Amino acid sequence: MNITNCPNHCPECHSPHLQDDIGDPLDEQALDAMLRKYGGSVTCVCFMGGDATPDQVVSLSDHIRETTDLKVAWYSGVQAIPASFQHFDYVKVGPYNPKMGSLKSKTTNQRLLKNVNGQPEDITYKFWE
């Protein structure tokens, strides 16, 4: 699920349309409706964006974790690990830097972290080509 109004404005962003404040509000009811629509084909809900409203992302993550057995991930453009890390199964941190590459690049500044007993485990290497 994409959350718009991204404040990061990364150079060469792969989703520049998410920098605008567009679309419908994402709340618990909208999220539940999407999950009903796709049923058992969903295994993980990944929020892309939300850096402008991190408390909203945490609230939606908590809702999913309380009402389903789905994994929850957050792709954030912020470099630091969020204080709310424990509310997610996976968190991607770091703005896209075209000189350093995406998660597929060994030189990337981005990191994909897995929540292991409340502690971040860097699993970025699993994406390297």
Side-chain angles (χ1 to χ4, degrees), residues 100 102-108 111 128-129:
M100 299 180 88
S102 68
L103 283 178
K104 295 188 293 184
S105 173
K106 290 182 180 181
T107 60
T108 187
R111 292 288 173 254
W128 294 342
E129 296 180 335

Side-chain angles (χ1 to χ4, degrees), residues 49-77:
D51 293 330
T53 56
D55 291 342
Q56 177 190 10
V57 179
V58 169
S59 178
L60 291 171
S61 176
D62 289 347
H63 173 72
I64 293 167
R65 292 167 67 102
E66 291 166 2
T67 60
T68 74
D69 292 328
L70 299 174
K71 300 284 186 193
V72 184
W74 183 14
Y75 272 38
S76 169

